[in-house]
Amino acid sequence: MSVTSHSPDKTRAWSALEDHFAALRDVHMRDLFARDPGRFPRYTVECGDLLLDYSKNRVTDETLGLLMDLAREMHLPQWREALFSGERINCTEDRAVLHTALRGDAPVLLDGEDVMPAVRAVLERMRGFTEQVRSGRWTGYTGKPIRHVVNIGIGGSDLGPLMVCEALRPYGHPGLSMHFVSNVDGTHLAETLKAVDPETTLFIIASKTFTTQETLTNAHSAREWFLASGAGEGDIRRHFVAVSTHTEKVKAFGIDPENMFVFWDWVGGRYSLWSAIGLPIALYLGMDRFEELLAGGRDMDRHFREAPLERNMPVIMALLGVWYVNFFGAHTHAILPYDQYLHRFPAYLQQADMESNGKSVDRQGQRVGWHTGPVIWGEPGTNGQHAFYQLIHQGTRLVPCDFLAPCNSQNPMGDHHDILMSNVFAQTQALMQGRTLETVQAQMRAEGLDEDTVARLAPHRVFEGNRPSNTLLFDRLTPRTLGRLIALYEHRIFVQGVIWNVNSYDQWGVELGKQLARSVLDDLRADTPATGHDASTNGLIHWYRGRRGNG
Ligand SMILES: O=P(O)(O)OC[C@H]1O[C@](O)(CO)[C@@H](O)[C@@H]1O
């Protein structure tokens, strides 16, 4: 690797940020706004139709300057170049990380060979296939056109395509209904199969490794269901396609390689929606719109690569996150989309962010002495307001929030959209400004309440404020805009990984549970006593074995 890495807490900027934090921790954003009328124009940045307003953060010019120093001391510009140019920055798996090439338009050399011809060839095959299915020329085994697409995959082979198909529903093919089966709980597949017809259903078996237990179990059961409907083995080719990096394993499952769409080990699962893993997206939206999504990702790549760090949207968002995690001690970060179509965006980002930066050893294998990725969570507004915003406004924890909202609804209806947007702006204002005890008391007296009631209730009605948020506005949730948004968060994750000196592109933390599940499953199938686990696990296995089949 051409770039060196080291501990962030050994940098000069980190120490300076610690001192600066001590001076700023009790400063209220109300006062920062009062002192500085230029905050909004200075602390906003654009990329295409995206506007990021980060003025409602607990920062000053000095904070931002020090955060930029930290990025430079951690060699962010060099790491960014290593990412885009195909260096093997996934050091534990010795892999390049090239999801940006999937949406790129220039040669990218990996081991001296340009990856772009292969990328374009897969896109062309996707175009041919999706046009056949969407036009009705690709028929099922009884000659009927495809009406249902069932994607069977999990994690990155599910969450991205599912989120995008939901987000871009207004652009979806009216004659295709999209289904996503991920959970190995038989209920997920069973409920999906109740809604589809074997003669008109196309199954996509999506798995980078083609070894994932949940996906293969669901895929085998789907095939059995299909064959039980009266179809023959020879009909499988019209109803099952695969997306994977492993041709041999796809063949072994019984899917013709002709019906397989490939991608490569340099595409991480949680960054793979831009690859053939996006096949459900391309089927639903059509290939032109899928390419608009890619173009949106490319817009953000260009911005990330070319804009100065101080005007760089993913860099700014990432560094603000570092400021809260490492200096204010924030444990979580809320993603609050005020667009119903983005209702799976927080779930998608949970995997993208937490599987990437939920690490506790650095790139050198040493235990980190600083906090890394926060818990990512969220729900669409305004529903969240009536659920968990109480804690964000008045709880004891600091929860930095991202509010995302379109300036135009896909479904204009009366004054719904102005009402929705008034909530976005009011929430961020309330979080920032709060409401002081004096204001509460004055308001209560103006309402004519007696002094006892004022004294008793006023403390409950105080809002400390000083709670940070970013606001991301965009014109309308189009494929291109969504591409920009997704790539924005991908790069935010990358930058934070660089600052925390972790490898954001492996996921060893999912291994142990998988391994143990295999040995537990052996014990669930056995009739001899289970003794090889701890007392709790042995006890649970026996309890379950004694009761299954009774319910
Ligand atoms: O696409 P695959 O190989 O089935 O993996 C699915 C998911 O499983 C994981 O490896 C771990 O949960 C994810 O990183 C990945 O997205």
Side-chain angles (χ1 to χ4, degrees):
M1 199 112 53
S2 65
V3 197
T4 56
S5 56
H6 50 92
S7 305
D9 62 351
K10 302 286 181 296
T11 59
R12 274 205 305 215
W14 190 278
S15 313
L17 280 162
E18 278 173 338
D19 294 343
H20 177 65
F21 171 70
L24 197 76
R25 63 187 301 171
D26 297 324
V27 174
H28 203 290
M29 277 191 278
R30 263 194 316 258
D31 300 322
L32 295 177
F33 270 91
R35 284 208 287 269
D36 179 2
R39 267 180 95 80
F40 180 79
R42 228 171 45 259
Y43 296 166
T44 45
V45 60
E46 292 173 53
C47 172
D49 65 330
L50 298 191
L51 171 84
L52 167 69
D53 169 17
Y54 60 100
S55 61
K56 293 191 183 93
N57 278 290
R58 293 171 71 169
V59 293
T60 61
D61 291 352
E62 187 183 352
T63 326
L64 292 165
L66 292 173
L67 288 168
M68 297 299 158
D69 290 347
L70 176 64
R72 289 196 175 91
E73 278 193 76
M74 294 306 292
H75 305 151
L76 175 63
Q78 294 88 325
W79 278 106
R80 182 178 53 185
E81 229 19 62
L83 168 81
F84 281 100
S85 58
E87 281 199 42
R88 294 176 185 274
I89 63 169
N90 176 353
C91 54
T92 60
E93 296 178 313
D94 193 26
R95 287 178 182 166
V97 177
L98 273 178
H99 46 277
T100 51
L102 299 167
R103 54 208 187 209
D105 57 4
V108 179
L109 297 185
L110 182 60
D111 299 329
E113 201 177 320
D114 183 9
V115 300
M116 293 311 290
V119 168
R120 282 198 206 100
V122 173
L123 289 173
E124 271 317 297
R125 282 199 61 220
M126 287 169 68
R127 180 173 287 279
F129 177 69
T130 55
E131 280 173 2
Q132 284 193 58
V133 173
R134 288 168 59 83
S135 65
R137 277 182 283 129
W138 180 286
T139 54
Y141 73 103
T142 57
K144 295 183 185 166
I146 298 300
R147 294 280 169 245
H148 300 278
V149 175
V150 179
N151 187 79
I152 297 182
I154 197 164
S157 301
D158 168 70
L159 288 161
L162 167 56
M163 180 276 286
V164 174
C165 287
E166 285 297 304
L168 298 177
R169 249 171 199 271
Y171 304 88
H173 190 301
L176 280 182
S177 62
M178 307 301 293
H179 310 263
F180 291 84
V181 175
S182 48
N183 198 333
V184 76
D185 180 346
T187 298
H188 202 178
L189 182 62
E191 283 297 330
T192 305
L193 294 180
K194 282 182 200 166
V196 304
D197 168 6
E199 293 178 43
T200 59
T201 299
L202 177 75
F203 291 94
I204 302 173
I205 315 302
S207 175
K208 179 175 170 181
T209 54
F210 231 73
T211 56
T212 304
Q213 184 193 44
E214 292 90 335
T215 299
L216 291 188
T217 306
N218 280 323
H220 280 287
S221 298
R223 186 170 63 179
E224 275 168 33
W225 171 86
F226 175 71
L227 293 174
S229 76
E233 289 278 347
D235 299 322
I236 286 182
R237 48 180 294 279
R238 306 219 55 84
H239 292 267
F240 284 78
V241 300
V243 182
S244 185
T245 57
H246 279 278
T247 314
E248 289 312 313
K249 292 192 178 112
V250 169
K251 269 202 248 169
F253 177 83
I255 293 181
D256 187 343
E258 282 289 298
N259 278 359
M260 175 183 171
F261 297 84
V262 295
F263 62 114
W264 307 272
D265 71 1
W266 42 263
V267 182
R270 51 194 175 274
Y271 299 90
S272 64
L273 68 85
W274 319 94
S275 72
I277 286 291
L279 189 64
I281 305 171
L283 280 165
Y284 191 42
L285 306 182
M287 204 58 199
D288 288 348
R289 295 225 163 93
F290 184 68
E291 295 210 351
E292 283 173 33
L293 182 83
L294 300 185
R298 190 160 64 239
D299 294 339
M300 186 53 72
D301 293 342
R302 198 160 289 145
H303 169 85
F304 176 51
R305 209 170 176 181
E306 293 172 6
L309 297 189
E310 288 73 10
R311 304 295 304 154
N312 196 307
M313 206 180 272
V315 172
I316 293 167
M317 286 177 69
L319 294 174
L320 289 169
V322 168
W323 180 228
Y324 295 121
V325 167
N326 298 113
F327 297 89
F328 284 81
H331 292 269
T332 83
H333 187 99
I335 305 292
L336 307 168
Y338 279 66
D339 187 319
Q340 188 58 28
Y341 286 124
L342 282 175
H343 70 113
R344 295 299 288 164
F345 197 61
Y348 163 76
L349 282 184
Q350 278 177 340
Q351 189 208 10
D353 196 311
M354 293 163 77
E355 203 169 73
S356 297
N357 286 340
K359 310 281 165 68
S360 53
V361 292
D362 65 15
R363 279 201 198 85
Q364 289 74 29
Q366 302 298 315
R367 184 77 165 75
V368 295
W370 49 92
H371 277 296
T372 60
V375 174
I376 302 290
W377 60 289
E379 279 289 323
T382 55
N383 299 12
Q385 291 174 204
H386 296 271
F388 51 78
Y389 278 35
Q390 164 66 43
L391 183 149
I392 299 181
H393 281 288
Q394 285 190 320
T396 54
R397 294 173 192 281
L398 183 83
V399 182
C401 303
D402 290 353
F403 288 77
L404 292 81
C407 296
N408 297 284
S409 171
Q410 297 278 14
N411 298 290
M413 189 184 290
D415 58 356
H416 283 237
H417 202 64
D418 282 346
I419 294 174
L420 178 74
M421 295 303 289
S422 68
N423 277 280
V424 177
F425 303 145
Q427 287 298 328
T428 65
Q429 184 181 13
L431 287 168
M432 186 275 282
Q433 284 183 336
R435 188 167 62 186
T436 63
L437 182 62
E438 296 69 43
T439 309
V440 172
Q441 288 167 336
Q443 283 172 353
M444 293 179 82
R445 286 181 189 123
E447 286 164 27
L449 296 171
D450 60 70
E451 281 307 312
D452 279 355
T453 309
V454 172
R456 191 165 53 83
L457 290 186
H460 298 274
R461 296 174 64 172
V462 168
F463 289 70
E464 284 172 4
N466 219 11
R467 298 183 180 221
S469 66
N470 293 315
T471 305
L472 266 166
L473 298 184
F474 43 93
D475 285 351
R476 185 186 300 277
L477 194 57
T478 62
R480 190 150 187 162
T481 295
L482 183 63
R484 289 174 184 149
L485 271 176
I486 299 168
L488 166 64
Y489 278 92
E490 286 181 347
H491 293 319
R492 177 185 187 275
I493 293 165
F494 167 78
V495 173
Q496 293 191 333
V498 169
I499 303 295
W500 290 323
N501 190 23
V502 295
N503 177 8
S504 304
Y505 300 103
D506 59 13
Q507 55 285 318
W508 301 103
V510 301
E511 293 302 323
L512 180 59
K514 285 187 196 172
Q515 271 167 24
L516 291 179
R518 281 196 284 274
S519 103
V520 170
L521 185 59
D522 288 343
D523 278 319
L524 297 185
R525 287 172 174 158
D527 44 20
T528 49
T531 54
H533 311 273
D534 60 88
S536 162
T537 308
N538 288 336
L540 290 167
I541 290 170
H542 290 140
W543 181 276
Y544 168 72
R545 287 199 329 204
R547 276 159 184 79
R548 71 180 155 196
N550 288 351

